[in-house]
Amino acid sequence: MAFARLAILPTYKVVSDTIEREILAGRLNAGDILPTETELADQFGVTRHTVREGIRILEQSGLVRREAGRRLYVAEPHYGDLAPRLSRAMVMQRVTFRELWEVSMDLEPSAAAHAAGRIDASRLAQLRANVEATEEAIAAGTSIIPLDVAFHILVAEAAGNRALLLAREPVTQLFYPALERLFRHPKTSAVGPRRLVEAHRHIVEALADGDAAVAREWMRKHMVDFRRGYDTAGLDLDEALDPTAAPPAAPPPRR
Amino acid sequence: MAFARLAILPTYKVVSDTIEREILAGRLNAGDILPTETELADQFGVTRHTVREGIRILEQSGLVRREAGRRLYVAEPHYGDLAPRLSRAMVMQRVTFRELWEVSMDLEPSAAAHAAGRIDASRLAQLRANVEATEEAIAAGTSIIPLDVAFHILVAEAAGNRALLLAREPVTQLFYPALERLFRHPKTSAVGPRRLVEAHRHIVEALADGDAAVAREWMRKHMVDFRRGYDTAGLDLDEALDPTAAPPAAPPPRR
DNA sequence: GATATTTCAATTGTCCAACAAACGAACAAT
DNA sequence: ATTGTTCGTTTGTTGGACAATTGAAATATC
């Protein structure tokens, strides 16, 4: 017979695991203030240093948060916190545009279809405003990429599926630099934006009508267009994405 | 005039950011051994404890790794490291079975379709072996859930799309407990496993033939069956998943 | 009485010093 | 060839200390 490896964990890991379990089990809820480091150290029977190392792990996991020198509280883990890490992993694995596009080809039309049945008036208004703003940006010659990204996020949110939202976010983040490159390209810059805003408009109308099939179809066309633009521009679908292109900057942490 | 908020970060964060930058810039490559904690402390001009807190952050990010009490080395961040965090976020957001199912309904058939054109002999053999093992498990009356999960992972890997793999992994992790509940249920346990293995078999054959359409269609049916089973068992689609059900245990870290 | 200002205890962030435990390697013993 | 022994190195953990910041109570000011 053979013994299984012993699962001996360092103390700081035990600390973080223990607190994590309390949070996941719902005994600690988002917003709750945790005990001070000294209290935790006393309760666990370990040093404050050890507790602090455990806290760093929880913080990085997004389960707890601390503002400046203030008390620790249980955080609502938000998509935005996870997406950067995911994108980083994809960048380091040299994920290609083709891979991202294939996934988007599944998720985006589906998001549009689900949104058709679930969208509310407020978000619909936001989408209309987004399309207007995009028109203006085209006329003014300013960048439409943030608006495009926002459009797709709005649609995904309207789909009312948080699993979908989480699954597509890292993909979106990496699309951003690829979009930059695409819309800057001379061959596509003339016609691309027009087609884009036209597709967006059709999608919004389909959502307003509650027509899932049309919404899905226009989103599909929109994604196909996107890839076609990439081809037309002569960019390589199977090349790793450029990691140097800056992701949308986060505001500096309050401290 | 007004000054922007100063981005003053705690020292341990500066430490982790600095090392992270070296890794992302490629000056430190995967596999490289980092200096010892004492050396790092000397170089940065801070205490060893501060360095350690920074290391905990990097470790949790998956950028560096340490085995047992040994030296620190730069790691290639892998999907497996990130998926648990996503699942955790989904648990805390009280994601429902319906949401997971909707996403799987997009990703799984698509994975099967892509796999049809890209699968290699080795993975095909693994899939066949998996189906055999599932048959045996059914005959023996043991749990087929790990085998089912493994089957879907194999198909997703065969699709040769790392973005897809990353997007679907957290969903799978959460499906696991739901599957447990489903297959334990008296109303489905009689017929469910048979239908499952039949679908798996059809999918494998379609992959062997390189027939993307058939592979996609059988996977779709398979997913529909899954949901139907959930319905038949009288389980609530819109109920938050049970977070207490253990996720597939990872092998304990070597120490 | 309401609003600043000051004070003060509590808490975090960082440092210094120490030691036990585990590891790797080299070497001796069976 | 395997098993014990030793030793220097590195991590894991502990203790105590103190400056800086924060939140809130207490005080002064209008």
Side-chain angles (χ1 to χ4, degrees):
Chain A
M1 72 156 298
F3 289 103
R5 174 178 302 284
L6 293 176
I8 297 170
L9 297 173
T11 312
Y12 59 79
K13 187 76 175 132
V14 176
V15 168
S16 67
D17 284 353
T18 304
I19 299 177
E20 170 177 339
R21 210 172 312 119
E22 292 301 299
I23 295 175
L24 260 54
R27 283 188 289 275
L28 282 171
N29 295 100
D32 287 1
I33 304 286
L34 288 175
T36 66
E37 296 182 352
T38 316
E39 280 169 351
L40 285 173
D42 286 346
Q43 291 180 23
F44 287 127
V46 299
T47 309
R48 197 159 73 91
H49 288 313
T50 307
V51 170
R52 282 177 66 82
E53 293 193 31
I55 289 175
R56 292 293 96 78
I57 294 175
L58 292 171
E59 239 173 5
Q60 190 62 11
S61 309
L63 286 173
V64 307
R65 197 165 303 169
R66 144 169 296 153
E67 264 138 30
R70 286 202 286 283
R71 291 284 292 277
L72 215 57
Y73 63 94
V74 180
E76 188 103 37
H78 208 50
Y79 323 106
D81 306 331
L82 299 162
R85 266 191 280 290
L86 288 166
S87 335
R88 201 173 46 197
M90 289 198 190
V91 166
M92 288 190 73
Q93 303 264 353
R94 303 257 178 283
V95 168
T96 66
F97 178 84
R98 185 192 300 278
E99 289 172 283
L100 291 180
W101 181 80
E102 281 180 4
V103 175
S104 298
M105 199 61 188
D106 294 326
L107 295 180
E108 297 298 308
S110 175
H114 288 307
R118 298 172 186 164
I119 195 166
D120 58 54
S122 147
R123 228 181 284 274
L124 198 55
Q126 285 181 278
L127 278 171
R128 290 194 202 278
N130 177 283
V131 173
E132 290 308 313
T134 309
E135 292 276 17
E136 286 165 23
I138 293 173
T142 58
S143 173
I144 62 170
I145 300 170
L147 288 166
D148 182 49
V149 170
F151 179 89
H152 287 267
I153 289 175
L154 278 170
V155 172
E157 284 175 349
N161 184 325
R162 290 157 296 181
L164 173 67
L165 218 47
L166 269 173
R168 66 173 289 289
E169 186 140 14
V171 178
T172 308
Q173 286 235 339
L174 281 187
F175 248 108
Y176 197 91
L179 273 161
E180 281 276 7
R181 209 154 39 138
L182 180 54
F183 279 104
R184 272 201 224 294
H185 199 279
K187 279 193 193 164
T188 53
S189 61
V191 61
R194 288 256 133 254
R195 282 186 70 90
L196 178 139
V197 78
E198 187 194 352
H200 281 198
R201 197 177 284 284
H202 276 106
I203 291 164
V204 171
E205 289 322 308
L207 294 183
D209 295 345
D211 191 331
V214 172
R216 177 188 290 276
E217 178 57 17
W218 269 103
M219 184 63 96
R220 200 190 60 77
K221 279 187 194 167
H222 182 36
M223 297 308 296
V224 170
D225 270 354
F226 192 17
R227 180 192 155 148
R228 192 172 297 144
Y230 216 76
D231 271 336
T232 310
L235 298 168
D236 188 356
L237 285 169
D238 292 310
E239 193 178 298
L241 293 166
D242 189 358
T244 60
R254 145 129 227 289
R255 185 190 152 104
Chain B
M1 72 160 295
F3 290 104
R5 174 180 300 284
L6 292 176
I8 297 172
L9 297 173
T11 312
Y12 58 81
K13 189 78 174 118
V14 177
V15 168
S16 68
D17 284 352
T18 304
I19 298 177
E20 171 177 338
R21 210 171 312 121
E22 291 301 299
I23 295 174
L24 260 53
R27 284 187 289 275
L28 282 171
N29 294 99
D32 288 1
I33 303 284
L34 288 175
T36 66
E37 297 181 353
T38 315
E39 281 170 351
L40 285 173
D42 286 347
Q43 290 179 24
F44 287 128
V46 300
T47 306
R48 192 159 78 91
H49 182 66
T50 306
V51 170
R52 283 176 65 80
E53 292 195 33
I55 290 175
R56 291 294 95 76
I57 294 175
L58 291 172
E59 239 172 4
Q60 191 61 11
S61 311
L63 286 174
V64 306
R65 198 164 301 173
R66 140 170 302 154
E67 265 137 32
R70 287 203 287 284
R71 291 283 293 276
L72 214 58
Y73 64 92
V74 180
E76 190 100 37
H78 208 51
Y79 322 106
D81 307 329
L82 298 158
R85 211 162 317 166
L86 279 168
S87 324
R88 225 170 18 208
M90 290 193 190
V91 166
M92 288 190 70
Q93 304 258 354
R94 302 264 180 278
V95 167
T96 66
F97 178 85
R98 186 192 300 280
E99 289 173 282
L100 290 181
W101 181 79
E102 280 181 4
V103 175
S104 298
M105 199 61 189
D106 294 326
L107 294 180
E108 296 298 309
S110 176
H114 288 308
R118 297 174 188 164
I119 196 166
D120 58 54
S122 147
R123 228 182 283 274
L124 198 54
Q126 284 180 277
L127 277 172
R128 289 194 202 279
N130 177 284
V131 173
E132 290 308 314
T134 309
E135 292 273 19
E136 286 165 23
I138 293 173
T142 59
S143 174
I144 62 170
I145 299 170
L147 288 165
D148 182 48
V149 171
F151 179 89
H152 287 267
I153 289 176
L154 278 170
V155 171
E157 284 175 350
N161 184 323
R162 291 158 295 181
L164 173 67
L165 215 49
L166 189 49
R168 67 172 289 290
E169 190 147 9
V171 178
T172 309
Q173 287 228 345
L174 283 188
F175 247 109
Y176 197 90
L179 273 162
E180 282 276 8
R181 211 152 40 133
L182 182 53
F183 280 104
R184 271 200 224 297
H185 198 280
K187 281 192 192 162
T188 52
S189 60
V191 60
R194 288 257 133 254
R195 283 188 69 90
L196 178 141
V197 79
E198 188 195 351
H200 281 196
R201 198 178 286 284
H202 276 106
I203 291 164
V204 172
E205 290 322 306
L207 293 183
D209 296 344
D211 192 331
V214 171
R216 177 188 289 276
E217 179 55 17
W218 269 103
M219 184 62 96
R220 199 189 62 75
K221 280 187 194 171
H222 181 37
M223 297 309 295
V224 170
D225 270 354
F226 192 16
R227 182 196 153 142
R228 192 173 296 146
Y230 216 77
D231 270 336
T232 309
L235 298 169
D236 187 358
L237 286 167
D238 291 312
E239 194 179 298
L241 294 166
D242 188 1
T244 60
R254 146 129 228 291
R255 184 195 153 107

